[in-house]
């Protein structure tokens, strides 16, 4: 099994109400609008969000992957999207935990994990075998970190108006 993993986790302080922040992170369309590399997110009739992500990974080249996720938790303290139960190859999980630090100051613990599993490296990309799991995982983590940092900066601009 050829498996690559990437992830990002950080705490973000936003100068706005916890309700506004929770609503923002629960709406998957904000990710499509503000995160580079997210080509589209389509919600189907069953509430499954279908993410299409495009990324240029050094050594490997352009990769386009699709992820199907469902909202598994949505309450005052946490929003979490998790891969659908039938998924066997492309896993995307993101969560946001909310803490009201002060009036109109909210801390968000944001986490996003991506895992791609294939029977062989060639099933992922023709050059994946040459690069290897660890190099691709490292480069994917760098790319996801860049994407999320842009997203967070844009989210701050939008939420702190």
């Amino acid at each position: 099994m050829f498996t690559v993993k990437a992830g990002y986790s950080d705490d973000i302080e936003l100068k706005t109400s916890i309700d506004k922040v929770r609503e923002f992170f629960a709406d998957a369309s904000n990710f499509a609008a503000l995160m580079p590399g997210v080509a589209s997110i389509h919600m189907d009739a069953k509430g499954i969000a279908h993410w299409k992500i495009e990324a240029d990974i050094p050594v490997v080249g352009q990769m386009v992957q699709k992820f199907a996720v469902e909202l598994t938790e949505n309450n005052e303290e946490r929003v979490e999207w998790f891969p659908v139960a039938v998924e066997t190859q492309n896993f995307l999980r993101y969560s946001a935990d909310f803490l009201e630090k002060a009036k109109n100051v909210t801390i968000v613990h944001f986490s996003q994990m991506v895992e791609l599993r294939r029977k062989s490296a060639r099933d992922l990309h023709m050059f994946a075998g040459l690069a290897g799991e660890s190099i691709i995982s490292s480069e994917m983590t760098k790319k996801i970190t860049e994407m999320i940092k842009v997203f967070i900066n844009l989210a701050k601009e939008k939420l702190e108006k």
Side-chain angles (χ1 to χ4, degrees):
M1 180 72 66
F2 188 83
T3 303
V4 293
K5 298 177 184 182
Y8 177 89
S9 183
D10 199 7
D11 290 333
I12 307 148
E13 184 174 295
L14 297 164
K15 293 174 179 68
T16 191
S17 73
I18 193 168
D19 293 331
K20 193 173 176 182
V21 172
R22 184 182 312 103
E23 182 180 318
F24 177 86
F25 279 92
D27 184 353
S29 68
N30 287 317
F31 290 86
L34 301 177
M35 187 179 290
V38 178
S40 64
I41 298 177
H42 165 73
M43 295 292 287
D44 69 19
K46 295 179 183 177
I48 305 297
H50 300 271
W51 290 50
K52 180 180 176 185
I53 299 176
E54 300 172 350
D56 189 32
I57 308 297
V59 181
V60 174
Q62 181 75 19
M63 288 180 54
V64 176
Q65 297 296 321
K66 294 181 180 178
F67 301 86
V69 296
E70 59 189 331
L71 188 61
T72 55
E73 199 167 345
N74 186 9
N75 58 50
E76 290 184 13
E77 299 165 350
R78 182 178 177 83
V79 169
E80 180 176 55
W81 290 80
F82 211 76
V84 294
V86 296
E87 182 58 58
T88 60
Q89 292 189 326
N90 291 349
F91 301 90
L92 170 69
R93 177 189 163 272
Y94 80 83
S95 64
D97 296 292
F98 314 107
L99 175 66
E100 191 170 39
K101 182 177 178 182
K103 182 176 171 74
N104 289 325
V105 178
T106 304
I107 302 293
V108 179
H109 178 73
F110 181 80
S111 177
Q112 184 166 333
M113 306 300 284
V114 175
E115 184 173 324
L116 305 172
R117 297 179 190 164
R118 300 295 188 273
K119 288 182 182 177
S120 77
R122 284 186 166 257
D123 293 339
L124 180 63
H125 192 279
M126 71 164 55
F127 298 124
L130 296 173
E133 292 175 349
S134 63
I135 290 174
I136 296 172
S137 293
S138 174
E139 293 301 324
M140 276 181 46
T141 296
K142 288 178 191 173
K143 192 65 174 177
I144 286 174
T145 298
E146 290 172 16
M147 292 166 58
I148 293 173
K149 285 185 176 187
V150 168
F151 169 75
I152 289 168
N153 288 333
L154 293 172
K156 278 186 168 196
E157 286 177 20
K158 185 173 183 172
L159 288 166
E160 294 180 345
K161 283 184 181 178

